[in-house]
Amino acid sequence: MAITNTRITSATTPTTVFTASGQQAITVLYLCNTDASINANVSVFCIDNSTSSGAGEDNCIYSQLAINAGDTYVMDLEKLILDNLDEIEVESSVANVITVTVSSIAV
């Protein structure tokens, strides 16, 4: 099992938080708002490497999810199976307040 941590530093551009190496399952994904007073909205995208599309409406799995200051949202009810070079990207409405932690395992 592997852990990947990424700070979202842009409020305008989706950030790649995970790229599959071979076939991998995402076991859990944490979206943590580390700021004490600023709320943020977060969108999460699951991007199929076999297409040329980037983050957008066609691959959005969470849209404008509100994460209050000091709160964490956990995505662990369903596992995502990714093929080699598939990506998870996250976009935040506010820069430098969201940290994303992804736990994955080879399939």
Side-chain angles (χ1 to χ4, degrees), residues 49-96:
N49 178 57
S50 67
T51 68
S52 59
S53 66
E57 291 178 356
D58 292 342
N59 49 33
C60 186
I61 59 174
Y62 284 86
S63 180
Q64 297 300 309
L65 177 67
I67 302 179
N68 294 329
D71 201 3
T72 300
Y73 186 82
V74 181
M75 297 168 49
D76 65 346
L77 295 177
E78 184 67 36
K79 309 308 177 229
L80 289 173
I81 307 298
L82 303 179
D83 279 329
N84 192 45
L85 300 178
D86 288 351
E87 294 181 339
I88 303 291
E89 293 188 6
V90 175
E91 183 176 31
S92 174
S93 61
V94 181
N96 296 309

